[in-house]
Amino acid sequence: MKTVSIKRRLHQPQQKKRQPAAVRKSAIHPATAAAQESAIHPATAAADESAVHSATTAPIEPAARLSTATPPSSDARPVTVSALGARKRRAAGTARRAGGRTASGKKRGAAARKPAARRQPAGAAPVRAKQALQPLRKQRRGTLSVIVSARNEAKTLPLLLKQVQRLAPDEIIVVLNGCTDNSFQRTRTCRQATVVHVAESAGHDVGRAIGAKLSRGDILLFLDGDMVIPAQQLAVFAAAVDGGVDVALNDLDQLLPPFKLSDHVTRCKLYLNMVLGRSDLGAGSMTAVPHALSRRALEMIGYRELMVPPKAQALALLKQLRVEKAGTVDVFRQNRLRQDNTGAGNKMEQLIAGDHAEALNAVLSQQAGQVQGHAEAVQLIHGQGGTHSAAPSLQEQRSRLAAWRNAL
């Protein structure tokens, strides 16, 4: 077989008609022919792929098995295999910038376009998980106390406490209500937490009251141990109180069905706010978490009243405290289903309905006292004017109270 030396080919003038690929490739090692061709002629490499395979099957002279081809010109540099690889990489980069095609003319796939993922060390948490545990910037003026009430929440408590620590609170108080699992041991892993262990289950509301009595912060944020809420959502309630709100409630209105499809608990919440002249609060209630209180609100309401959340909310409104909806946290999806809070007429539903009845009784009692005080003032004025009237009978007082109630 006759071979064409590289010297002869390089000295030949450029022709319009290109020589066959098999002849050009015979002068260099077949293993590097494809690399050289794709580096020098990236636009035509795809068309010559068939020629590359045919050229490598033909017999090649021993002298032609060169790893380095040196042109006769003294000012030309030798073209080595490594140089061909560098030129191929440069050509591939130019092709990517031109239109996302490689030197061989093939379109780069999605996997090739994506940068190589950084290899994480063994046991390292994902980047997003690390970012989710980074502390938030502390921009509060007052001190923050976070109060968590829990019952058998060993799985979710550590996760919740990690989010709580991102708030950089001044204190964390965890009240365990009749826990029979290892919630106590899991909570002790949070060194900042003050753990209060109640042997018998007293309920979340009593746990909040206990935590409020032990707290010292200007802002009191109340949570339940069965809901892992991101720190960004919790910070909204603390920020609202830090900005002047006395009671910051969770706004659940946009998550509720129409009134005709609402349950009894939702209707109780709506009715109480309407009676108190705050229909704008919708179903916002201190029964739901998260919610936050100011130190001023706690002192005016009293920590004991927190055992009946609707009553505490009614007292806050009657005392002209600033009660607002702060943010929306979907607690319906995270609420842990138990035997006492599942099904129509369950124990929890009855308890909450009873709490609202007690709250309405407190409202009516205060309003009745105001009506009685108004009646006594009228009698005093009439007596000073020379017209004395007897004190209204009990039946008359009830009639006035019913008239006032029906006018609401």
Side-chain angles (χ1 to χ4, degrees):
M1 176 180 176
K2 184 178 180 180
T3 61
V4 181
S5 67
I6 295 180
K7 295 181 180 181
R8 178 181 176 184
R9 184 166 60 87
L10 292 176
H11 279 283
Q12 288 179 352
Q14 187 174 2
Q15 300 179 3
K16 295 183 179 180
K17 185 177 180 180
R18 301 175 66 251
Q19 294 181 356
V23 179
R24 296 197 312 272
K25 296 181 183 335
S26 60
I28 61 175
H29 196 280
T32 63
Q36 180 187 16
E37 184 65 22
S38 61
I40 300 175
H41 304 288
T44 60
D48 295 335
E49 281 186 340
S50 59
V52 172
H53 295 293
S54 62
T56 55
T57 57
I60 303 176
E61 295 295 334
R65 298 180 182 273
L66 304 176
S67 60
T68 303
T70 307
S73 175
S74 59
D75 58 346
R77 293 178 297 178
V79 182
T80 62
V81 176
S82 59
L84 291 174
R87 293 171 65 180
K88 180 180 178 181
R89 288 192 295 271
R90 289 196 297 270
T94 305
R96 282 196 298 270
R97 291 190 295 271
R101 293 184 178 273
T102 60
S104 61
K106 297 181 179 180
K107 190 173 183 179
R108 293 169 54 84
R113 288 194 300 268
K114 293 182 180 179
R118 296 180 61 183
R119 181 172 296 178
Q120 298 288 342
V127 176
R128 291 185 178 180
K130 289 182 178 180
Q131 292 176 351
L133 297 178
Q134 292 179 355
L136 302 180
R137 295 182 60 184
K138 186 176 179 181
Q139 297 178 344
R140 294 186 303 268
R141 294 173 296 179
T143 55
L144 174 62
S145 298
V146 180
I147 300 167
V148 182
S149 180
R151 178 165 68 94
N152 292 337
E153 311 294 355
K155 294 182 178 180
T156 54
L157 261 176
L159 301 176
L160 174 62
L161 292 176
K162 288 181 179 179
Q163 295 298 322
V164 169
Q165 287 179 302
R166 294 183 60 199
L167 299 174
D170 297 274
E171 64 177 355
I172 304 174
I173 301 175
V174 182
V175 182
L176 303 177
N177 281 299
C179 293
T180 57
D181 61 355
N182 60 341
S183 294
F184 180 79
Q185 291 79 4
R186 299 298 297 274
T187 307
R188 288 292 300 273
T189 59
C190 179
R191 297 184 178 181
Q192 189 182 359
T194 300
V195 183
V196 181
H197 186 270
V198 181
E200 298 181 2
S201 179
H204 286 306
D205 303 329
V206 177
R208 294 170 195 157
I210 294 174
K213 183 179 180 180
L214 298 175
S215 67
R216 301 183 301 271
D218 303 316
I219 308 166
L220 282 69
L221 177 62
F222 296 91
L223 307 172
D224 286 349
D226 58 346
M227 301 180 187
V228 182
I229 303 173
Q232 293 89 340
Q233 298 183 22
L234 298 178
V236 175
F237 298 87
V241 175
D242 196 43
V245 175
D246 292 306
V247 182
L249 302 176
N250 189 9
D251 183 8
L252 300 175
D253 292 346
Q254 56 185 320
L255 305 176
L256 296 173
F259 181 80
K260 63 180 181 180
L261 301 178
S262 299
D263 56 14
H264 297 307
V265 171
T266 300
R267 294 183 179 183
C268 287
K269 296 176 181 178
L270 292 169
Y271 182 70
L272 177 62
N273 289 331
M274 182 185 66
V275 168
L276 292 166
R278 290 298 304 274
S279 299
D280 59 295
L281 294 177
S285 175
M286 289 176 61
T287 301
V289 291
H291 66 265
L293 297 179
S294 65
R295 174 61 55 177
R296 172 172 173 260
L298 179 64
E299 293 174 352
M300 295 185 68
I301 297 172
Y303 72 90
R304 288 181 177 272
E305 303 296 346
L306 299 183
M307 293 187 291
V308 186
K311 182 180 179 181
Q313 181 171 334
L315 294 175
L317 291 171
L318 291 174
K319 294 179 181 297
Q320 303 299 317
L321 293 176
R322 184 179 173 186
V323 182
E324 302 291 345
K325 295 187 291 186
T328 299
V329 177
D330 189 353
V331 295
F332 298 112
R333 294 183 180 182
Q334 299 193 53
N335 190 18
R336 180 179 172 184
L337 298 180
R338 305 176 188 266
Q339 185 176 1
D340 56 358
N341 68 352
T342 307
N346 57 75
K347 293 182 178 179
M348 187 59 62
E349 180 178 306
Q350 296 178 16
L351 175 64
I352 296 176
D355 288 348
H356 282 79
E358 188 171 347
L360 288 171
N361 182 63
V363 174
L364 294 176
S365 299
Q366 179 163 336
Q367 295 292 346
Q370 293 177 356
V371 170
Q372 179 66 26
H374 177 70
E376 292 177 354
V378 171
Q379 292 175 13
L380 180 61
I381 293 174
H382 289 173
Q384 290 176 350
T387 58
H388 179 74
S389 59
S393 64
L394 181 60
Q395 184 63 35
E396 291 175 345
Q397 292 180 16
R398 290 180 177 177
S399 299
R400 294 176 182 177
L401 179 60
W404 168 83
R405 181 181 60 205
N406 295 334
L408 294 176

